[in-house]
Amino acid sequence: MSLKLSVLASGSSGNIIYVESDESAILIDAGISKKQSEILLNKIGKNLSDIKAIFVSHEHVDHIRGVGVINRGYNTLIYGNKDTLSCDKFRKITGNVNPDSLRLIEAEKAINFDDLKITAFSTSHDSVNSQFYIIEHENKKFVCLTDLGHLKPETLSLIKGANAYLIESNHDVDLLINGNRPEFNKKRILSKVGHLSNEDCGTHLSECIDESTHTVILGHLSKDHNNKSLALNTVKKILSENSRFFSNSLNIIAFTQKDDPTDLIDV
């Protein structure tokens, strides 16, 4: 009985996460091309033909760029909420997909997919209806959570106590404020429908991790207003000050857009 994951890509250039169990293999988002998806999967010894379903978080292009072409190539199932799968932007980016392959999973609902239990939960982001996912197999739990401006209290109770997290640590606030982005873009990122800062990430993790948590992957790092060492140091400092479950044995990985996929991580 096993549950494994690999972050293939995470950031504004594209997001795609691989998850496998004894009986299944899925993707959370597919925001890069089909060709690049295959290249990255091959680096961890997997193939697109292995994938049974793509679980879509929201309709932004960096999360769905490859969904349509993968579906057309392999008739891969596509899961998401009704608002996302029916919106004009999703249809425009994905193109024609097999309508029989579309499946609904709504926020705060759980489904069984092969030997996986998959629970969707809503997130606060400037999209039509963003949601992310909790993946469970037997007694193992993985939470995937990026692209949100803040974390709702009701979401915290759902995602506590996971064995592994992929969580957004998008920016350093000072670097963003003093950066060269347009003011409207800074306000969007800093808003409650934008992206989590390093400080936000550390604070939320302090409320979530427990003695069963062994791996945290910091994702969706801004290439302009963040870096690995800054994200790691900030999150570790906040965890050390606020969580009794923090220790040096906790594996914290900062993942950037330039990185190769992570090794397959046992959840």
Side-chain angles (χ1 to χ4, degrees):
M1 295 180 291
S2 66
L3 181 62
K4 298 181 179 182
L5 73 101
S6 173
V7 179
L8 304 179
S10 180
S12 59
S13 296
N15 299 269
I16 178 169
I17 297 92
Y18 173 82
V19 182
E20 71 171 24
S21 61
D22 299 315
E23 298 178 12
S24 203
I26 66 170
L27 298 175
I28 300 174
D29 289 333
I32 57 178
S33 70
K34 176 185 173 185
K35 179 179 179 180
Q36 188 63 17
S37 299
E38 190 73 83
I39 289 171
L40 294 177
L41 280 166
N42 290 167
K43 287 186 176 184
I44 60 169
K46 308 297 176 180
N47 298 286
L48 271 176
S49 58
D50 300 327
I51 305 301
K52 293 187 175 183
I54 304 169
F55 284 77
V56 173
S57 64
H58 60 291
E59 79 280 6
H60 290 171
V61 66
D62 57 321
H63 292 261
I64 63 168
R65 183 181 284 109
V67 169
V69 68
I70 292 171
N71 169 264
R72 289 188 289 276
Y74 299 97
N75 203 29
T76 309
L77 297 175
I78 302 169
Y79 280 82
N81 60 52
K82 183 178 180 180
D83 290 340
T84 297
L85 298 186
S86 63
C87 75
D88 290 342
K89 189 171 184 179
F90 179 85
R91 292 175 174 177
K92 181 178 180 180
I93 293 170
T94 59
N96 292 324
V97 299
N98 179 358
D100 294 332
S101 66
L102 296 175
R103 300 284 192 276
L104 293 181
I105 177 171
E106 299 292 343
E108 283 64 64
K109 301 293 184 182
I111 65 166
N112 293 316
F113 186 86
D114 293 334
D115 57 347
L116 297 172
K117 178 184 176 183
I118 302 176
T119 304
F121 58 92
S122 61
T123 54
S124 179
H125 195 50
D126 58 349
S127 64
V128 65
N129 188 5
S130 179
Q131 66 183 22
F132 270 92
Y133 299 99
I134 303 166
I135 313 294
E136 296 175 271
H137 175 67
E138 299 296 337
N139 61 341
K140 301 297 183 181
K141 180 177 179 179
F142 165 55
V143 171
C144 182
L145 176 63
T146 69
D147 295 68
L148 69 160
H150 77 288
L151 197 56
K152 303 171 186 176
E154 57 268 31
T155 303
L156 274 173
S157 63
L158 281 175
I159 67 174
K160 283 184 178 180
N163 303 101
Y165 291 89
L166 168 62
I167 184 169
E168 177 169 76
S169 192
N170 178 255
H171 59 276
D172 175 83
V173 174
D174 288 338
L175 287 182
L176 175 62
I177 290 174
N178 295 307
N180 57 6
R181 286 179 184 263
E183 287 304 311
F184 77 87
N185 191 245
K186 294 178 184 179
K187 289 180 180 178
R188 176 218 167 226
I189 293 170
L190 292 168
S191 75
K192 286 192 173 183
V193 293
H195 291 277
L196 293 183
S197 68
N198 294 334
E199 292 82 359
D200 294 333
C201 176
T203 299
H204 291 318
L205 277 172
S206 297
E207 300 171 298
C208 291
I209 65 170
D210 66 10
E211 67 276 2
S212 65
T213 308
H214 57 74
T215 299
V216 172
I217 305 164
L218 309 179
H220 219 298
L221 271 67
S222 168
K223 64 180 180 179
D224 298 318
H225 306 114
N226 210 356
N227 59 64
K228 282 186 174 185
S229 61
L230 187 54
L232 282 170
N233 290 338
T234 302
V235 169
K236 285 182 177 180
K237 182 176 185 295
I238 293 172
L239 284 174
S240 67
E241 293 172 348
N242 294 282
S243 174
R244 64 187 179 90
F245 299 110
F246 174 75
S247 73
N248 290 329
S249 64
L250 180 62
N251 182 27
I252 305 180
I253 303 164
F255 188 92
T256 71
Q257 297 178 52
K258 295 180 180 179
D259 290 334
D260 282 333
T262 65
D263 293 335
L264 279 171
I265 297 167
D266 285 303
V267 177

